[in-house]
């Protein structure tokens, strides 16, 4: 996805952004969104971190398209990056955290989980009411972080469609998509929930900055001006607009800084995705178990300490191995799996025949 990944700071940047999201969620989940102003500094920093993740995604996914030989391989690589790690996280949430934390009898929990309403609501974990999870918490969602996954997948589709049709290389296409998104966003600007459409803008601007990377200069003076604009806008109603204007350049400026320690940060592994998908239900479980008696800073430390080992295992046991298959087509994997099953079955039958012969 990024051939020179140890020549830049993308891994360090995504790790830091995921850690900031963990801190922001610890704060918002312990207090409840009803008690937090939309312009709360912690909430805004968390949104900025999420925006940085979308910027890097737009930049790196567009790079992945350019270095991938076919649409099928592109889709396969995206599948391997998103889905394999998601499956065990869903399993742990629904079959370990869920039974331990539910207020329903276990029979009622599983009946609700496998009901039509449970199956419809489970994938995105907007509210745990159907399975009796976290209803006494200030926020009742099970894993609201996952709202970004379908948005990301949708943007992957946009990149693939534009790439296949040759539109990605046309000068005005990505700016046109950015303009369309702006026009969709503006009517919802004041609504924090609907205003989430702005995160697709970050993805598209990241894609644009990749496509024009040879013409864009990352200069400390430009970064300084944009940072000043962003800081001055914090106390104004225009902070989200300033974020869309300033955060993409600042994110990629930092990503390209020549800092040897940070450029080698990802050699141990890319733990940002695991941190992002696991932290929310763990925080909710701690809040419920302690009856929301843990202060937000303590919750942030606890949830990071609980999340990082899972992210580490996710990377080493699932994500890294899945990504190792990115050059192996699904058809080859299916043939290998079928051959393995046939070998095991034939070995079992042969062993049975030998035992029968001895008798």
């Amino acid at each position: 996805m990024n051939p020179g990944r140890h020549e830049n700071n993308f891994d360090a940047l995504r790790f830091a952004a995921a850690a900031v999201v963990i801190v922001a969620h610890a704060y918002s989940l312990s207090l409840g969104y009803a008690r937090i102003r939309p312009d709360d500094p912690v909430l805004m920093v968390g949104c900025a971190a999420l925006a940085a993740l979308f910027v890097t995604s737009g930049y790196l996914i567009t790079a992945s398209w350019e270095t991938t030989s076919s649409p099928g391989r592109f889709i396969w690589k995206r599948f391997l990056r998103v889905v394999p790690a998601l499956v065990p996280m869903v399993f742990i949430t629904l079959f370990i955290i869920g039974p331990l934390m539910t207020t329903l009898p276990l029979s009622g929990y599983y009946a609700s989980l496998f009901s039509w309403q449970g199956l419809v609501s489970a994938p995105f974990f907007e509210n745990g009411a159907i399975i009796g999870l976290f209803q006494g918490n200030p926020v009742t969602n099970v894993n609201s972080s996952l709202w970004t996954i379908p948005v990301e997948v949708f943007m992957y589709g946009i990149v693939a469609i534009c790439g296949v049709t040759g539109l990605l290389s046309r000068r005005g296409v990505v700016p046109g998509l950015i303009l369309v998104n702006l026009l969709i966003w503006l009517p919802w600007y004041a609504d924090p929930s609907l205003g989430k459409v702005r995160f697709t803008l970050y993805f598209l601007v990241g894609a644009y900055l990749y496509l024009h990377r040879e013409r864009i200069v990352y200069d400390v003076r430009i970064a300084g001006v944009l940072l000043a604009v962003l800081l001055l806008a914090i106390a104004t109603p225009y902070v989200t607009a300033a974020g869309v204007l300033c955060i993409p350049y600042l994110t990629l400026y930092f990503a390209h800084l020549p800092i040897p320690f940070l450029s080698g940060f990802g050699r141990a592994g890319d733990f940002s995705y695991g941190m992002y998908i696991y932290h929310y239900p763990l925080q909710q479980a701690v809040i419920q178990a302690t009856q929301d008696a843990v202060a937000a800073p303590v919750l942030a430390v606890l949830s990071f300490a609980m999340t990082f080992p899972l992210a580490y295992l996710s990377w080493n046991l699932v994500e890294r191995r899945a990504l190792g298959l990115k050059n192996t087509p699904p058809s080859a994997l299916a043939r290998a799996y079928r051959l393995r099953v046939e070998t095991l079955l034939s070995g079992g039958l042969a062993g049975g025949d030998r035992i029968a012969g001895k008798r």
Side-chain angles (χ1 to χ4, degrees):
M1 183 169 66
N2 183 22
R5 63 179 298 167
H6 298 310
E7 299 171 5
N8 54 55
N9 309 320
F10 279 107
D11 289 322
L13 178 63
R14 297 198 306 178
F15 183 93
V20 170
V21 170
I22 290 175
V23 172
H25 276 155
Y27 175 77
S28 57
L29 292 180
S30 61
L31 290 179
Y33 289 108
R35 297 170 58 189
I36 301 175
R37 303 188 320 272
D39 61 346
D40 185 282
V42 177
L43 195 62
M44 285 196 293
V45 171
C47 287
L50 184 58
L53 288 173
F54 269 94
V55 172
T56 59
S57 183
Y59 190 93
L60 296 175
I61 294 304
T62 308
S64 177
W65 172 262
E66 284 202 348
T67 58
T68 301
S69 58
S70 70
R73 275 199 67 216
F74 176 80
I75 294 169
W76 177 233
K77 287 163 70 174
R78 302 281 58 78
F79 173 86
L80 291 173
R81 189 66 190 98
V82 173
V83 175
L86 208 56
V87 171
M89 185 281 301
V90 171
F91 183 90
I92 289 170
T93 301
L94 296 182
F95 296 103
I96 297 178
I97 296 175
L100 290 173
M101 294 287 114
T102 184
T103 55
L104 300 176
L106 282 182
S107 58
Y109 173 81
Y110 287 114
S112 299
L113 178 62
F114 293 111
S115 68
W116 173 248
Q117 295 90 339
L119 292 173
V120 168
S121 62
F124 305 115
F125 305 97
E126 285 301 316
N127 191 303
I130 187 71
I131 51 177
L133 281 184
F134 311 136
Q135 295 309 288
N137 289 7
V139 177
T140 58
N141 295 346
V142 177
N143 194 345
S144 198
S145 293
L146 298 188
W147 75 265
T148 63
I149 303 295
V151 175
E152 280 269 349
V153 171
F154 177 77
M155 298 312 295
Y156 299 165
I158 295 294
V159 170
I161 291 169
C162 289
V164 167
T165 57
L167 295 175
L168 200 60
S169 57
R170 298 282 184 89
R171 181 174 298 179
V173 170
V174 175
L177 290 173
I178 292 171
L179 179 60
V180 169
N181 276 34
L182 276 171
L183 294 175
I184 294 172
W185 175 43
L186 288 176
W188 297 335
Y189 182 87
D191 187 327
S193 58
L194 296 176
K196 288 179 179 178
V197 71
R198 72 184 182 278
F199 289 103
T200 59
L201 282 169
Y202 288 112
F203 185 100
L204 288 170
V205 174
Y208 178 85
L209 292 174
Y210 174 79
L211 292 170
H212 298 273
R213 63 196 179 280
E214 295 178 359
R215 298 185 224 168
I216 295 169
V217 177
Y218 292 103
D219 188 281
V220 65
R221 292 166 293 185
I222 300 173
V225 170
L226 292 175
L227 181 60
V229 169
L230 187 60
L231 293 174
L232 289 171
I234 286 176
T236 73
Y238 309 106
V239 61
T240 50
V244 172
L245 176 67
C246 303
I247 288 174
Y249 185 94
L250 290 170
T251 298
L252 295 175
Y253 170 78
F254 177 81
H256 289 97
L257 281 176
I259 306 175
F261 169 73
L262 291 182
S263 64
F265 185 87
R267 293 185 191 279
D270 181 3
F271 309 119
S272 58
Y273 183 50
M275 290 164 60
Y276 183 80
I277 61 176
Y278 275 104
H279 77 276
Y280 199 104
L282 292 174
Q283 288 178 336
Q284 287 285 64
V286 171
I287 291 170
Q288 178 173 313
T290 62
Q291 297 183 347
D292 198 21
V294 178
V298 177
L299 178 61
V301 173
L302 277 175
S303 57
F304 186 87
M306 295 166 68
T307 299
F308 184 77
L310 287 173
Y312 180 87
L313 291 173
S314 177
W315 171 255
N316 285 287
L317 299 181
V318 180
E319 297 169 58
R320 182 168 59 85
R321 296 183 181 192
L323 291 172
L325 301 173
K326 63 184 180 182
N327 294 319
T328 305
S331 56
L333 287 176
R335 286 196 299 272
Y337 176 76
R338 187 166 58 250
L339 180 62
R340 176 65 174 164
V341 170
E342 289 172 355
T343 302
L344 289 172
L345 289 174
S346 62
L349 290 173
D353 291 342
R354 284 195 297 272
I355 292 171
K358 288 179 181 178
R359 289 179 180 174

